Amino acid sequence: MITCSLERMTNLIDTFSKFGATGHGGITRFSLSKEAIQARDEFVKRMKAIGAQIETDDIANVYATLPGSDPNAKRIVMGSHVDSVMNGGNYDGILGVMSAMEVLTTIQKEQIPHIHPITAMIWTNEEGSLYPPCMMSSGIVCYDYLPENVRSKYKEENMMASKGDTMTFQQAIEQSGYKGDKKNRITPNTYQYMFETHIEQGPILEDHHKDIGVVDCVLGMFNYRLKFYGQTTHAGTFPMPKRKDSFLAASHALIELHKRIDSLGYKDLVYTTGEVSCHPNLHTCVPDYFDFCIDVRHEKKEVRDAVLKIVKRFEDEMWDGCICKVEKAWERETVYFDKQLIDYVEESAKELHTNYQRIHSGAGHDAQFAAYMLPTTMIFVQSKDGLSHCEQEYSSPEQCTQGASVMLHAVLKADQT
Amino acid sequence: MITCSLERMTNLIDTFSKFGATGHGGITRFSLSKEAIQARDEFVKRMKAIGAQIETDDIANVYATLPGSDPNAKRIVMGSHVDSVMNGGNYDGILGVMSAMEVLTTIQKEQIPHIHPITAMIWTNEEGSLYPPCMMSSGIVCYDYLPENVRSKYKEENMMASKGDTMTFQQAIEQSGYKGDKKNRITPNTYQYMFETHIEQGPILEDHHKDIGVVDCVLGMFNYRLKFYGQTTHAGTFPMPKRKDSFLAASHALIELHKRIDSLGYKDLVYTTGEVSCHPNLHTCVPDYFDFCIDVRHEKKEVRDAVLKIVKRFEDEMWDGCICKVEKAWERETVYFDKQLIDYVEESAKELHTNYQRIHSGAGHDAQFAAYMLPTTMIFVQSKDGLSHCEQEYSSPEQCTQGASVMLHAVLKADQT
């Protein structure tokens, strides 16, 4: 069987790791930044070199297409993103772009016949680091297909006005040199299937000694915020028993929250309280306000609902003299990928003799929005120690090449339909 | 007995509450900001109107002086600050300046004879909101008299280079219009005594139904930081049992810290964990780093030492898979005010038939640095509900006027020496 090139993949990893390198092994490459433009330029240069036709749409998504034998066939697209979080790693997002490039390059170099045009794609602003929310351009492009509760977050005019560090997202697009025509956007009229290769960002594959994950869904999730209202008083003058310390309140509540959720006994549930704010956040003041968000993910709605019931029970509970208020941020249902495409990925992984398993995606990806619009699926590559969104992110060149080879053969199977 | 004017004090409170008014009952008046300059201009206008001589020194401290009968006598100074924290109240700091203005005005209007020149003073940048640290200009002026461990925080060249929002403290001084001659600084060669009137910023006077506090010391304190090091992982992909969540670790440790300190049983001890930081502070990431500071205050060193022993015990303890590191920020000894001046304040409070009591200051003030250099003391005015550093700060005009009257008579007693 034809496989992708380890040599070319190694070169791609080395090359793209330089755009926004932090000097500590990782990258900071915010969407449409100078560093991200370097990565896009490299993509365009290499794709032009294999004869791909380059297009961009009005939100700076980039498409590189090799024509197929049927001029009327819709395109098969493979894509991911080149932007990163602050001090991120060399694989999240960019691996999917490099894999798409490598698949297209293999097809061209090996003269592999195919019916459909095949496209490698860069989605703009997946991380949302400078311009929230994340998965912005897939949210905009797939807007009409999104469920109502998700859609509200991705209203195009709001996205365009969203303020980054020094300019709006619209201004960043104008200045990027990558603004194209709206008619070039990916749509079901012109595109047939979408594939995204990505690092797992978790330790499950490694723990099971697997290199490749055949992804079947993106977990449903909800995000709520627990807010604690106390009273600011001076650190030096206010007796302890009269205080209403919202940080202490939140700490007690957090521990109780863990206790209550853990008592449900769901082994594969994940929940995270990763974002806090504290006011006035001064060493001389008892904090009058503290909040943290809780992000809960599980495939099954009944499991998420059981946890949500626990979260909501905190409403109006008193903790250390502080009242707790519970606020919904957002939620989304589990997104299941296309069964036929999942099978193509699994068959390809098997035929290539890779170590693979079926897996859910706990993280959100552009593919999950595309899945509302087109038959879509994903391929995961093992993440060393499960680490992601940090400079230690690592997948071996061999594993990355395997991931690309699996995508190549899944695409070629899909090409037959 | 001559007393200060309720009418004038009410007018002063109304007037100064406008400079930096937030529209919600409080003020934001950062040092040397436009709003703080308005307050300084008002001070100068009113002090010039009673014939006081205006001087400024090289760090923009302002002095308004009425001459005494002895041209060789040193000055008696009353002062505090006009700057505030973000969304602060109408009394912290400014009450001491208004009281000094009102005492000087009463002396002038009532033609009260006095031997020493008497000075009303504005200390620059007490809060340190834009230019940390707090009590900056008293730290600079009293530098040579400060104990070594305090001194290190107030090295003049560092202060001058300290970066505010958009400029250095030095630039802010240059642009303020209030930069004067270094020879005008308050020194023991030209000044005999210092008085500062301030709101209590705590609930003790109110709880005891007292209007006036005769302050005898500023509590010694220490400030340490507890840091928790875990591992960032993705919220959606990383199984719960393998996580090292530094926020959860800090919450467990905070509760244990309270338990251990409270078990010492010191009733009048205060400790505060008001400032936190969380990294990367994203809802999609398990936090790999969380810290909080602990601020501990008590008059007695042996009490502080017992608490410090508990704080230090956290070093290298493991909490939820995260290691804890303990770092000293600073500490200071209890500063005792001048016994003779304290007695003058107490005698005056008694003669004026006020409800008063002796009290410690839990908060830091410019007077505490001045006390290293000159005989110094403070007068406290009741704070409603003990609230401070917030817009709800309140002391009645009657209480404020009483505070000024007590300072007036204490100054006149000191004037006889």
Side-chain angles (χ1 to χ4, degrees):
Chain A
M1 283 176 88
I2 292 173
T3 55
C4 290
S5 156
L6 174 63
E7 190 186 340
R8 281 197 302 261
M9 181 59 85
T10 306
N11 175 268
L12 283 167
I13 296 169
D14 289 349
T15 303
F16 281 94
S17 299
K18 293 194 175 76
F19 305 131
T22 58
H24 304 98
I27 55 154
T28 295
R29 195 161 62 210
F30 296 141
S31 189
L32 301 176
S33 66
K34 183 168 56 68
E35 297 78 17
I37 301 293
Q38 288 173 333
R40 285 164 171 257
D41 291 349
E42 184 72 23
F43 172 87
V44 168
K45 189 182 80 183
R46 293 194 182 219
M47 291 298 92
K48 277 186 173 165
I50 60 164
Q53 176 202 349
I54 308 296
E55 293 163 326
T56 61
D57 67 21
D58 59 323
I59 41 181
N61 294 317
V62 191
Y63 310 80
T65 305
L66 286 182
S69 59
D70 179 354
N72 298 317
K74 294 184 188 179
R75 294 174 176 183
I76 298 172
V77 63
M78 306 167 287
S80 195
H81 59 96
V82 302
D83 62 315
S84 82
V85 297
M86 168 84 98
N87 295 328
N90 297 316
Y91 300 87
D92 178 358
I94 192 67
L95 177 62
V97 174
M98 295 187 299
S99 301
M101 294 168 74
E102 173 53 23
V103 169
L104 224 52
T105 304
T106 304
I107 287 171
Q108 190 271 338
K109 299 270 183 223
E110 305 288 340
Q111 297 288 312
I112 302 174
H114 53 102
I115 300 158
H116 295 263
I118 303 179
T119 302
M121 176 179 177
I122 297 172
W123 290 96
T124 301
N125 194 29
E126 196 270 350
E127 296 291 0
S129 304
L130 273 189
Y131 310 99
C134 48
M135 306 190 295
M136 190 195 277
S137 69
S138 49
I140 292 175
V141 163
C142 306
Y143 186 82
D144 291 338
Y145 302 89
L146 299 180
E148 192 55 52
N149 67 329
V150 177
R151 202 185 282 188
S152 58
K153 263 186 85 187
Y154 291 92
K155 229 176 154 56
E156 187 168 343
E157 49 269 43
N158 297 343
M159 304 295 99
M160 289 307 178
S162 77
K163 282 200 178 66
D165 216 13
T166 51
M167 54 179 142
T168 65
F169 182 56
Q170 180 66 65
Q171 289 169 327
I173 289 173
E174 302 286 349
Q175 291 180 24
S176 69
Y178 277 91
K179 188 179 176 180
D181 199 321
K182 188 170 175 177
K183 75 171 168 48
N184 290 334
R185 284 187 189 184
I186 176 173
T187 73
N189 298 328
T190 42
Y191 286 79
Q192 183 113 28
Y193 303 119
M194 149 103 189
F195 289 85
E196 181 170 5
T197 296
H198 205 281
I199 54 168
E200 178 199 349
Q201 306 185 266
I204 294 168
L205 293 177
E206 188 179 49
D207 285 354
H208 296 179
H209 307 290
K210 306 294 185 193
D211 299 304
I212 300 297
V214 177
V215 189
D216 54 8
C217 69
V218 177
L219 297 183
M221 62 170 289
F222 65 79
N223 193 294
Y224 273 64
R225 201 163 271 273
L226 272 68
K227 303 174 163 193
F228 299 85
Y229 296 88
Q231 175 64 56
T232 308
T233 47
H234 194 289
T237 59
F238 212 86
M240 301 304 289
K242 301 187 69 169
R243 295 187 176 193
K244 297 173 179 177
D245 178 342
S246 61
F247 173 36
L248 182 62
S251 291
H252 275 123
L254 177 72
I255 288 161
E256 180 62 20
L257 180 69
H258 274 258
K259 210 175 286 174
R260 292 182 191 173
I261 295 178
D262 293 351
S263 74
L264 294 175
Y266 295 122
K267 282 219 171 66
D268 48 357
L269 174 78
V270 286
Y271 64 96
T272 307
T273 54
E275 192 180 280
V276 310
S277 79
C278 178
H279 178 273
N281 210 31
L282 295 170
H283 70 86
T284 53
C285 291
V286 176
D288 64 344
Y289 176 78
F290 195 99
D291 72 37
F292 59 81
C293 74
I294 175 159
D295 170 304
V296 176
R297 309 192 191 202
H298 195 275
E299 182 191 355
K300 302 289 175 210
K301 185 163 166 39
E302 58 266 29
V303 171
R304 297 197 308 273
D305 283 349
V307 179
L308 184 54
K309 207 170 145 190
I310 284 173
V311 170
K312 284 183 171 171
R313 229 208 294 156
F314 279 81
E315 175 80 8
D316 289 336
E317 282 189 357
M318 295 296 296
W319 294 87
D320 300 288
C322 304
I323 194 164
C324 178
K325 291 289 174 185
V326 177
E327 195 179 277
K328 178 179 167 177
W330 68 84
E331 58 183 329
R332 68 170 193 233
E333 295 302 312
T334 295
V335 176
Y336 291 97
F337 287 132
D338 183 76
K339 280 194 195 331
Q340 188 61 64
L341 296 188
I342 296 170
D343 286 345
Y344 292 156
V345 171
E346 186 156 19
E347 287 161 24
S348 303
K350 195 172 178 179
E351 288 162 16
L352 287 158
H353 305 294
T354 65
N355 290 314
Y356 70 93
Q357 69 167 76
R358 291 248 179 168
I359 190 168
H360 308 322
S361 172
H365 298 289
D366 290 316
Q368 120 201 17
F369 282 170
Y372 290 113
M373 191 170 79
L374 293 178
T376 297
T377 200
M378 293 188 73
I379 296 133
F380 273 177
V381 174
Q382 190 198 95
S383 291
K384 184 166 160 41
D385 300 328
L387 298 181
S388 175
H389 279 193
C390 60
E391 301 192 332
Q392 300 101 299
E393 240 174 46
Y394 183 74
S395 304
S396 74
E398 290 77 11
Q399 289 169 328
C400 294
T401 310
Q402 272 191 38
S405 295
V406 170
M407 183 157 70
L408 166 66
H409 287 281
V411 164
L412 293 176
K413 287 176 197 294
D415 182 59
Q416 299 301 316
T417 64
Chain B
M1 280 176 91
I2 292 172
T3 56
C4 289
S5 157
L6 174 62
E7 191 187 337
R8 282 197 302 260
M9 181 58 84
T10 305
N11 173 267
L12 282 167
I13 296 168
D14 289 349
T15 303
F16 280 93
S17 299
K18 294 193 176 74
F19 304 131
T22 58
H24 305 98
I27 55 156
T28 295
R29 197 161 62 210
F30 296 141
S31 190
L32 301 176
S33 67
K34 183 168 58 70
E35 297 78 16
I37 301 292
Q38 288 173 334
R40 286 164 171 256
D41 290 348
E42 185 72 24
F43 172 88
V44 168
K45 188 182 82 181
R46 293 193 183 220
M47 292 297 93
K48 276 186 174 164
I50 61 164
Q53 179 202 345
I54 308 296
E55 293 165 327
T56 60
D57 67 22
D58 59 322
I59 40 182
N61 294 316
V62 191
Y63 309 80
T65 304
L66 286 180
S69 59
D70 179 353
N72 296 319
K74 295 182 187 180
R75 294 172 175 185
I76 298 172
V77 63
M78 306 167 290
S80 195
H81 59 97
V82 303
D83 63 314
S84 83
V85 296
M86 168 84 98
N87 295 327
N90 298 315
Y91 300 89
D92 178 358
I94 193 67
L95 177 63
V97 174
M98 297 188 297
S99 301
M101 293 167 74
E102 173 53 22
V103 168
L104 224 52
T105 304
T106 303
I107 287 171
Q108 190 270 339
K109 298 273 184 219
E110 304 287 341
Q111 297 287 312
I112 303 175
H114 54 99
I115 299 158
H116 294 264
I118 303 180
T119 302
M121 177 180 177
I122 296 172
W123 289 97
T124 300
N125 194 30
E126 196 271 349
E127 296 292 0
S129 304
L130 274 190
Y131 309 100
C134 50
M135 309 191 293
M136 190 195 278
S137 69
S138 50
I140 294 175
V141 164
C142 306
Y143 186 83
D144 290 339
Y145 302 90
L146 298 180
E148 191 56 51
N149 65 329
V150 176
R151 202 185 283 187
S152 57
K153 263 186 84 186
Y154 291 93
K155 230 176 152 60
E156 188 167 343
E157 49 268 45
N158 298 344
M159 305 294 100
M160 290 306 179
S162 75
K163 282 202 177 67
D165 216 12
T166 52
M167 54 179 142
T168 66
F169 183 56
Q170 180 67 64
Q171 289 168 323
I173 290 173
E174 301 285 351
Q175 293 180 21
S176 69
Y178 277 90
K179 187 178 175 182
D181 198 320
K182 186 169 176 179
K183 76 172 168 47
N184 289 335
R185 285 188 187 182
I186 178 173
T187 72
N189 298 328
T190 42
Y191 288 78
Q192 183 111 30
Y193 304 119
M194 150 104 187
F195 290 85
E196 180 170 5
T197 296
H198 206 280
I199 55 168
E200 180 200 346
Q201 305 185 268
I204 295 169
L205 293 177
E206 188 178 51
D207 284 354
H208 296 180
H209 308 290
K210 307 295 185 191
D211 300 304
I212 300 297
V214 178
V215 189
D216 54 8
C217 69
V218 177
L219 298 182
M221 65 171 287
F222 65 80
N223 193 294
Y224 273 64
R225 201 164 272 271
L226 272 68
K227 303 174 163 193
F228 299 85
Y229 296 87
Q231 176 64 54
T232 306
T233 47
H234 194 288
T237 58
F238 212 86
M240 301 302 291
K242 299 186 71 168
R243 294 187 176 195
K244 297 173 179 179
D245 178 342
S246 61
F247 174 35
L248 181 62
S251 291
H252 274 124
L254 177 70
I255 288 161
E256 180 63 20
L257 181 69
H258 274 259
K259 209 176 286 175
R260 292 182 191 174
I261 295 178
D262 293 351
S263 74
L264 294 174
Y266 296 122
K267 282 218 172 66
D268 47 357
L269 174 78
V270 285
Y271 64 96
T272 306
T273 55
E275 193 180 279
V276 311
S277 78
C278 178
H279 178 273
N281 209 33
L282 295 170
H283 70 87
T284 52
C285 292
V286 176
D288 65 344
Y289 176 78
F290 195 100
D291 72 36
F292 60 81
C293 74
I294 175 161
D295 169 303
V296 175
R297 308 192 192 202
H298 195 278
E299 182 191 354
K300 301 290 176 210
K301 184 162 168 34
E302 58 267 30
V303 171
R304 298 197 307 273
D305 283 349
V307 179
L308 184 55
K309 207 170 145 189
I310 284 174
V311 170
K312 285 183 172 171
R313 229 208 296 158
F314 279 79
E315 174 80 7
D316 289 335
E317 281 188 358
M318 295 298 293
W319 294 87
D320 299 286
C322 304
I323 194 164
C324 177
K325 291 289 176 184
V326 178
E327 194 178 279
K328 178 177 168 177
W330 68 84
E331 60 183 327
R332 67 170 193 234
E333 295 301 312
T334 296
V335 177
Y336 291 96
F337 287 132
D338 182 76
K339 281 194 192 334
Q340 188 61 64
L341 296 188
I342 297 169
D343 286 345
Y344 292 155
V345 172
E346 185 156 22
E347 287 162 24
S348 301
K350 192 171 182 181
E351 288 162 15
L352 286 159
H353 304 294
T354 66
N355 289 313
Y356 72 91
Q357 68 166 75
R358 291 248 179 167
I359 191 170
H360 308 324
S361 172
H365 298 288
D366 290 316
Q368 122 202 11
F369 282 169
Y372 290 112
M373 191 170 77
L374 294 177
T376 297
T377 200
M378 292 187 74
I379 296 132
F380 273 177
V381 174
Q382 191 198 96
S383 291
K384 183 164 161 39
D385 300 328
L387 299 181
S388 174
H389 277 192
C390 60
E391 301 192 330
Q392 299 102 301
E393 237 174 48
Y394 184 73
S395 305
S396 74
E398 290 77 11
Q399 289 169 327
C400 293
T401 311
Q402 272 190 37
S405 295
V406 169
M407 184 157 69
L408 167 66
H409 287 283
V411 165
L412 293 176
K413 285 176 197 295
D415 182 59
Q416 298 301 315
T417 61

